Amino acid sequence: LFNAATHKVYVDVRSLPALPAGKQYQLWALDKGKPVDAGVLTLATATGQGLQHMKDIASAQTFAMTVEPAGGSINPTLSTMTVVGNI
């Protein structure tokens, strides 16, 4: 969920595939093609147990989710992209 007026971003999933130890889902906002870190999902969010407030994002045309090392990455690992959604 993205509110362009308030810049608030929330993630709500039914469930995502379980990840191996040491990995975590990370959300990215794509603004004019440049990835912006929107934060990592907690285990509860990834298993569909709640709504998670992510980092505020000023502007985005697309959101994508990747699998990254626990704690997240500075840049997305495109080969692990699991979800992409255009606004």
Side-chain angles (χ1 to χ4, degrees):
L1 309 168
F2 174 57
N3 185 320
T6 65
H7 309 282
K8 301 289 182 200
V9 177
Y10 292 87
V11 171
D12 184 17
V13 300
R14 295 197 183 207
S15 70
L16 293 168
L19 295 175
K23 298 290 184 178
Q24 197 168 16
Y25 288 105
Q26 186 167 356
L27 183 67
W28 301 90
L30 296 167
D31 187 21
K32 298 179 182 119
K34 295 181 122 186
V36 178
D37 172 29
V40 295
L41 273 65
T42 66
L43 180 58
T45 301
T47 58
Q49 297 178 29
L51 183 70
Q52 180 178 339
H53 179 238
M54 305 302 287
K55 294 179 180 179
D56 290 352
I57 298 295
S59 176
Q61 295 76 49
T62 303
F63 282 91
M65 193 172 306
T66 59
V67 176
E68 303 294 346
S73 294
I74 295 172
N75 295 303
T77 305
L78 298 179
S79 62
T80 67
M81 192 176 307
T82 58
V83 177
V84 176
N86 294 321
I87 298 174

